Amino acid sequence: MIRFLLLFSKQGKLRLQKWFTPLTDREKKKVIRDMMTIVLARTPRSCNFLQWRDLKIVYKRYASLYFCTGLEEQDNELLSLEVLHRFVELLDKYFGNVCELDIIFNFEKAYFILDEFLMGGEVLETSKVAVGVSLQEADELQETMEEYMSKPMY
Amino acid sequence: MSPSIPLQEMIRAIRSARTQCEERGVIQRECAVIRAQFRQSDNDGRSHNLAKLLYVHMLGYPAHFGQMECVRMIASPRYSEKRVGYLGAMMLLDEKQDASLLITNSIKNDLSHSSQYVQSLALCTLACIGSAEMCKDLAPEIEKLLRASNSYIKKKAALCAIHIVRKVPDLGELFARTARSLLAEKHHGVLHGAVVLITVLCECSPDTLERFRKTVPDLVRIMKSLVTSGYSPEHDVAGISDPFLQVRILRLLRILGRNNEAASDTMNDLLAQVATNTDSTKTVGNAVLYETVLTVLDIKSESGLRILAVNILGRFLLNNDRNIRYIAMTSLQKIVGTDNIAVQRHRGTIVDCLKDPDASVKRRALDLSLALASASNIRSMMKELLMFLSSCPPELRAETTSGIFYAAERYAPSQRWHIDTILHVLTTAGGDVRDETVPNLILLITNASELHCYTVHKLYRALLSDISQQPLVQVACWCIGEYGDLLLRGECREMEPVEVTADSVLEALETVLQSHMSTPTTRGFALTATMKLSTRIMDNVDRIKSIVSIYGSCIDVELQQRAVEYNALFKKYDHMRAAVLERMPVIDRNSPGHTNGDSMGGVIKELEVDKVKQRETLLPQLPANQVCDLLNLLGDSEESVPAGPAQGDTVPVQSITTAKPIGGELLDLLGGFEPTPLASAPAVTVYEKNGVTLTLSCEKQSDSAVTVTLKGCNSSDSDVTSFALQAAVPKSVHLNMKAPSGDTLPAKGLAHVTQLVLLNNPNKVNLKMRIRISYSSQGSSVQDTVQIDSFPGLS
């Protein structure tokens, strides 16, 4: 299973964190610090995989954001690259040409999208279309109550 | 009350803050407003207040005052508030917080809500932060939802069930039957969830795994339809139909086919088909191929299929993409033990990867190269490894040197090659070698008696060029000391003759002694070498005398002691000098007290016993009690050799092991602090007197290693202090006593003292141990000895 998923910028600012195992705040902060240090130090054309403690770390850079995830021993690293890519595609579909600012100003949306795609550390829905449809329907439930929150804005 | 600003205004304000201080100010103001608004029960903007708080939390600021608000919002009837409330719960609460229990009821209610989106919120939160208790409470609900008609809910329930089974494996039984029926679903999301659920169930319990073997034909059928079906726009990724599902099915097949002939046969055709037909131009195709290869290599596949799998890995090795090369090497590492010949075919490519600029790839290549070293390829392999050593990143150096030494030891074609290799490593990366290298190398050199002349010449030349690499300098000094006469003779078959004078040799040693780069240990080596040369080189004894006497007033106590003793050797015991400093006997690898992993202890014991005898004659004022103790233990039993701490080439003054407990009092206060592993063998009481009991239990660690745990306890009414244990074993057994947990046994058995003893018995002699127990009780000191002839738990 995926243990955690982190999104952070080149400057070391955290944009999204999802933890699939219970960790204390201190442990989470340590992991974030370690991940940022290790990943940001890698040269541009390096291998996307590395070993950290007993986990396999898979990271990929999309524009100014680093997507970093920690896997267990049994997991397929190449497939997790596809998982990261799929997540980016979903964000792109929802926000329309997504960029880092979208994720900053609409972070709760990013979480909702993630929760429709991954759950409990495993892939939940393998169809791009299905995720998009359920997000739209959930948002419509909101439209009737809180118009303000649903509009992605800068 | 200041008006609350909208979420996005706040984010903009925080981002435009120019300093950390300014940012903190903005956040503190906002948090104050948010806190005030939380206290108000009825509020329209509750959801975006919480969202603001969550943003602040992501920046790293404390946000625990929002936990109760999350609980309240989850219970709200409005969907938008529930949504943010559950998000807040997942971010701020975890199973360790008490507040998480409060949401159990809300989750339970929401699981049976009419709207599937509310149900999904509850399922998602349960799968994220569900504690064991919550899982036990809600498992029946989840099982019911697994049988719902709605695919959207079913897939989420499946993943929630996975979390439950991971947290509470016993609940697996509850989901097993439903999981089986889910395999008939058409919806890919549900199918994927079902496959993962079955995988987790099988991993948890071997019985369940047996039952699920019957599903192999179904899985094969599903996989076949995925592979051969036409283009499905919904699930297609670069030509592969639903790679996520394919990979999970392959992984489940791997678990089901492991160690089972029948299941493996059923999947053979499918695996062959996937391996040959999958398009490997994109990452996604390679992901599926990779999983297929892992499955083929793990089940009982037929040999043709195995060769196909290894060939795929070989193709991966030649791929331009670094990621693919990395995982190819990782996989080859797993099978190098079993399919060595197949992997050897790709040795060239693997060795080439040592030159790859990427650090991850280099590491994998190193591991694999070391695993592939064998007697037939050792020469070429070593050349590559040595080249790698000179340019490898610092974090890999220690590993590389250890690997090279290990390979050289196992497959050295000749002793000269072996010595050359080790010397090369010492000159290139001397600073990163392990400590045992020096005595190992010395042992090797003494054993290669025909090469003494060659070795000492080579070492002398290395010493002249560079004295910064400490292990090299230490070995060089030792050799020059031992074989100085061969050095001066100038003739050597294998090397060009070079004129070496006594003066230049002494000058080299003096340089080492005086250099600021030399550690005290190295200086010790150099001083002893200088001393030994006094018998080998006849003409410069005065110079040696003066060098030695200078160090008689050295600040370093060890050097000073040596110098003073050597001085005494010159003055009072000159007649004994030749005998004392004569050439060392060849140390036999299997000599008493020598063990493979710890040859250090063996060499030192020999040196120690010899030198102690020398010292007895030299300095009768050595602390008499220690020498006497040594003699006592030796006297009691002809075969025992006392244990001594191994410490380089220094002669241990205290050869009895009584390691002082550090902060012994503190450890006793802490009571239960015992750094010992749980004794799995029964404990036997070996000593009982005055209320003090000593129990012994032992555990076999490997064929020749045993860990003995000694536990002292005091059931009398008064405390026992200065409790210490000493042990002696037969000569061929190696003993290593760890520091005891303390030296006081409080009265009435309030706490124990535990001490670990590691024994290594390579010659498999009859294991016996004599233990001396000494302590003070009620003002008087007691000393007793017990002999243990049979150890409990050892066959």
Side-chain angles (χ1 to χ4, degrees), chain A residues 1 13-20 22-25 27-29 42-43 45-51 56 72-79 81-83 86 101 104-109 111-112 115-130 133-135 137-139 141-142 145-146 148-149 151-154, chain B residues 6-8 11-12 15 23 44 47-48 51 54-55 57-58 60 78-80 83-84 87 90-91 94-96 115-117 120 123-124 127-128 152 155-157 159-160 162 166-167 187-189 192 196 234-237 242-245 247-248 251 254 258 283-284 286-287 290-291 322-324 326-327 334 358-361 364:
Chain A
M1 66 178 259
K13 290 273 168 101
L14 189 66
R15 298 300 177 206
L16 192 144
Q17 54 176 325
K18 186 79 188 181
W19 304 91
F20 295 105
L23 291 175
T24 61
D25 261 344
E27 288 164 345
K28 284 184 193 170
K29 284 201 164 74
R42 302 274 284 184
T43 55
R45 277 183 309 139
S46 321
C47 182
N48 291 99
F49 312 134
L50 48 101
Q51 193 75 22
K56 302 194 228 194
E72 291 179 343
E73 198 50 45
Q74 296 295 320
D75 294 323
N76 187 328
E77 298 100 309
L78 291 175
L79 192 71
L81 277 178
E82 287 302 311
V83 166
R86 174 60 69 88
L101 282 175
I104 296 171
F105 280 96
N106 300 284
F107 69 96
E108 76 279 6
K109 300 285 182 184
Y111 276 104
F112 298 150
D115 286 336
E116 286 296 322
F117 175 49
L118 296 176
M119 194 163 111
E122 305 285 353
V123 170
L124 169 63
E125 176 57 68
T126 58
S127 153
K128 274 185 277 193
V129 172
V133 163
S134 37
L135 280 169
E137 291 182 9
D139 282 345
L141 277 182
Q142 272 198 197
M145 296 171 202
E146 278 280 326
Y148 172 83
M149 281 202 65
K151 277 206 282 258
M153 244 168 60
Y154 283 89
Chain B
L7 166 67
Q8 274 141 8
I11 297 179
R12 216 172 292 140
R15 279 169 62 79
E23 180 182 291
D44 266 347
S47 39
H48 60 252
L54 293 178
Y55 183 79
H57 171 77
M58 190 151 63
R78 298 164 96 185
Y79 178 69
S80 56
R83 214 181 188 191
V84 182
L87 178 65
M90 285 193 275
M91 285 179 75
D94 59 48
E95 59 179 40
K96 300 197 179 90
S115 161
Q116 67 177 17
Y117 293 104
S120 91
L123 285 167
C124 188
C128 188
Y152 181 77
K155 75 183 184 203
K156 297 213 175 193
L159 289 184
C160 199
I162 290 166
R166 281 196 179 126
K167 269 273 176 299
H187 188 273
H188 280 225
H192 186 276
V196 181
E234 208 182 329
H235 301 288
D236 182 273
V237 181
D242 207 341
F244 304 104
L245 182 56
V247 167
R248 287 321 299 238
R251 201 163 131 183
R254 179 155 87 238
R258 204 180 275 153
T283 309
V284 62
N286 286 323
Y290 176 44
E291 198 71 32
R322 273 210 183 92
N323 295 335
I324 312 268
Y326 179 90
I327 54 138
K334 291 194 195 135
D358 184 274
S360 311
V361 172
R364 287 279 169 245

Side-chain angles (χ1 to χ4, degrees), chain B residues 16 20 132 140-141 342 440 622 628 699 703 723 783:
Chain B
S16 56
Q20 183 82 312
E141 307 284 326
N440 273 339
L622 233 184
C628 283
E699 211 176 279
D703 233 12
F723 182 79
Q783 226 181 51

Side-chain angles (χ1 to χ4, degrees), chain A residues 33-44:
Chain A
R33 238 195 345 257
D34 282 349
M35 286 299 107
M36 285 195 191
T37 324
I38 297 175
V39 171
L40 293 174
R42 302 274 284 184
T43 55

